[in-house]
Amino acid sequence: MRMRAALAIEKRPGTDVDLRYLHLFFEMADGNYIAFFDLPDSVRESFFYKKDSMQEYHFAFEVENRAELERFKERLQAHGLPVRGPIEHGFVTSIYFHDPNGLQLEFTQRTERHEAILADEEAKSAEVLARWSAETAAVKAERLRPDAAE
C-alpha cells in the first residue's frame, strides 16, 4: 500500500484540546484508503500483543489474483512475519498474519467458484441469520447484563 499522508497533529480536531498523534493514510490498489493513528501519550504494552480472538479484530483486503497473494506472503515473510496459508475457503483463498498492534489481517483472493458459492449462501442467508439469532439470544442477553463481569 502506498503511504499518501503522515499528518502530525497537536490538537483534537475542531477543539483547542491538546492531543498529540500521527494520522497515517495508505492508499490501496482500488483507490480506497485505510488510516491508522499513533498516539504516543496513551500507548500501553498490551496494545501490541496478538489479540486472542480473530473475530474481534480482523481486517481483510482483497488482492487481484493468486500471484499477488503469493507476493504478499513472500514479502511478509521476508520481513520476519509468520504467515498462515494460503488457506482454501472454497469461495476465496486467504493468507493471515498479525500487524505490529496484534490485529489479525487477511489478504484474500476470489476463486473461480466465488460467485456461485455466494449466490447459494445468499439464498439461505436470511434463514441462517434468523436461526442463529434465536439460538444465541439467551447467551448474548446473559453476557450483556450490566452485572455480568468477565
Side-chain angles (χ1 to χ4, degrees):
M1 288 183 262
R2 178 178 170 195
M3 184 170 18
R4 295 301 308 268
L7 309 174
I9 312 287
E10 298 294 327
K11 302 280 184 189
R12 182 178 298 278
T15 74
D16 249 359
V17 176
D18 289 338
L19 181 64
R20 178 174 62 146
Y21 65 95
L22 184 68
H23 197 179
L24 298 158
F25 291 83
F26 294 89
E27 185 177 13
M28 297 183 282
D30 66 0
N32 283 305
Y33 287 82
I34 185 168
F36 297 94
F37 295 91
D38 179 21
L39 289 88
D41 300 318
S42 65
V43 70
R44 293 189 312 265
E45 187 175 349
S46 63
F47 289 173
F48 301 98
Y49 295 135
K50 287 183 181 174
K51 308 308 180 241
D52 290 335
S53 172
M54 70 175 188
Q55 292 84 8
E56 291 177 54
Y57 301 101
H58 180 124
F59 300 91
F61 302 95
E62 185 175 359
V63 298
E64 194 79 23
N65 53 45
R66 184 63 176 255
E68 188 176 8
L69 188 70
E70 294 293 341
R71 280 193 298 276
F72 271 112
K73 180 178 181 175
E74 291 169 10
R75 185 174 176 192
L76 292 162
Q77 289 175 326
H79 287 294
L81 292 171
V83 179
R84 287 188 306 113
I87 297 173
E88 304 292 340
H89 297 292
F91 69 109
V92 295
T93 303
S94 303
I95 62 172
Y96 300 89
F97 63 100
H98 287 85
D99 80 351
N101 294 307
L103 301 176
Q104 181 172 260
L105 301 178
E106 171 186 2
F107 286 123
T108 186
Q109 171 253 326
R110 295 179 187 202
T111 66
E112 291 179 6
R113 296 188 54 231
H114 180 270
E115 289 305 314
I117 290 171
L118 287 186
D120 183 54
E121 292 300 326
E122 182 179 13
K124 57 188 176 188
S125 62
E127 177 187 327
V128 170
L129 178 59
R131 185 174 57 247
W132 177 266
S133 296
E135 290 173 0
T136 62
V139 172
K140 292 174 187 173
E142 177 65 25
R143 293 186 59 84
L144 295 174
R145 284 191 354 251
D147 61 340
E150 290 204 26

